[in-house]
Amino acid sequence: MEVDRMKTLVGSMDGMGPAEALYAVAELQKEVGRREASLVRAARRSGLSWEAIALCLGVSKQAVHKKYGKQ
């Protein structure tokens, strides 16, 4: 999903019904998860430590390593 599509979904949520907005949120969460995983892989390839990545994501080093350490 493109960033523009994500912006459109977020911007249009106010006009959506509850069920439609929930579908949009679920779609956005999936895309954010994919983007996060991709960025973590890129960060590791560029030499960032698990601690630095965790700091960027606002989580503990253990949490980020548990989630992405085996990829």
Side-chain angles (χ1 to χ4, degrees):
M1 178 187 301
E2 295 180 21
V3 173
D4 290 337
R5 171 79 174 125
M6 291 171 63
K7 287 179 182 178
T8 300
L9 274 172
V10 170
S12 66
M13 278 186 194
D14 287 340
M16 293 180 180
E20 189 178 16
L22 287 170
Y23 280 119
V25 166
E27 187 177 341
L28 286 165
Q29 287 175 329
K30 290 175 193 171
E31 181 59 25
V32 167
R34 286 189 290 269
R35 295 273 177 140
E36 181 179 286
S38 176
L39 290 168
V40 168
R41 285 191 300 275
R44 288 296 292 159
R45 281 194 306 271
S46 73
L48 262 67
S49 67
W50 288 114
E51 187 173 7
I53 295 168
L55 181 64
C56 292
L57 294 174
V59 298
S60 71
K61 180 175 98 170
Q62 293 80 7
V64 76
H65 189 266
K66 181 179 179 180
K67 188 172 182 178
Y68 297 110
K70 298 183 185 197
Q71 291 185 359

